[in-house]
């Protein structure tokens, strides 16, 4: 009663402005893991992430390996623009900061952009309603994006 956003100590709930799930009666319900809000208290330092990834990329390059990095967009991040009551929370800036960081010596795959583009087209069930994993649709969208980065590297 005191915090209707929390279904349990680990599961939170929000309403979406559009129907993104095909579960009857829950088409605009977002169930998400409490750790999806971790960015509010522990923001990622994109410059440090980039520095560490570049260090790893150099080590791997010396062995003939090209580093590919992606951070999976969690449910809260992906559906954020469609949450009707954001409770004053800002959007997680990590993905934009990683896009903007300069001097990447690795392949960076942006997961949130193609998934959000699919949402804008009306795609449903990119995530499973009651799970923290992409559905087969989300995986296909990501893999289609991954191929765009990897195929040129193989040629």
């Amino acid at each position: 009663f005191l915090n209707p956003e929390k279904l349990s100590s680990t599961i939170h709930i929000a309403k979406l402005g559009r129907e993104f799930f095909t579960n009857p009666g829950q088409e605009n319900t977002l169930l998400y893991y409490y750790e999806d809000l971790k960015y509010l208290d522990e923001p990622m330092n994109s410059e440090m992430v980039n520095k560490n990834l570049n260090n790893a990329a150099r080590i791997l390059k010396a062995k003939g390996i090209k580093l590919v990095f992606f951070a999976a967009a969690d449910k809260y991040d992906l559906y954020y623009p469609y949450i009707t009551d954001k409770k004053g929370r800002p959007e997680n800036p990590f993905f934009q900061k990683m896009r903007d960081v300069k001097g990447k010596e690795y392949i960076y795959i942006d997961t949130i952009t193609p998934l959000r583009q699919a949402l804008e087209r009306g795609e449903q069930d990119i995530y499973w309603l009651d799970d923290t994993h992409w559905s087969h649709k989300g995986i296909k969208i990501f893999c289609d994006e991954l191929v765009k980065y990897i195929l040129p590297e193989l040629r």
Side-chain angles (χ1 to χ4, degrees), residues 146-155:
L146 177 63
V147 167
K148 293 177 192 175
Y149 291 86
I150 292 180
L151 279 182
E153 292 293 322
L154 296 176
R155 293 184 176 137

Side-chain angles (χ1 to χ4, degrees), residues 44-55:
M44 295 287 291
N45 179 333
S46 58
E47 294 296 330
M48 183 60 72
V49 170
N50 184 58
K51 180 180 176 183
N52 291 336
L53 289 171
N54 280 342
N55 288 338

Side-chain angles (χ1 to χ4, degrees), residues 71-131:
D74 62 39
K75 283 174 88 173
Y76 191 83
D77 290 342
L78 180 61
Y79 293 98
Y80 178 86
Y82 304 99
I83 296 172
T84 58
D85 182 2
K86 296 173 177 67
K87 310 270 188 236
R89 296 181 188 117
E91 185 168 8
N92 185 348
F94 175 76
F95 292 95
Q96 185 62 50
K97 287 182 176 183
M98 283 305 296
R99 265 183 240 120
D100 294 344
V101 75
K102 304 289 185 229
K104 294 180 190 88
E105 298 175 35
Y106 51 92
I107 297 171
Y108 170 68
I109 300 177
D110 178 2
T111 61
I112 203 164
T113 298
L115 294 172
R116 278 200 180 159
Q117 288 169 345
L119 290 178
E120 290 170 19
R121 292 189 305 269
E123 189 68 57
Q124 293 181 305
D125 298 326
I126 291 176
Y127 263 95
W128 298 111
L129 172 72
D130 59 352
D131 197 346

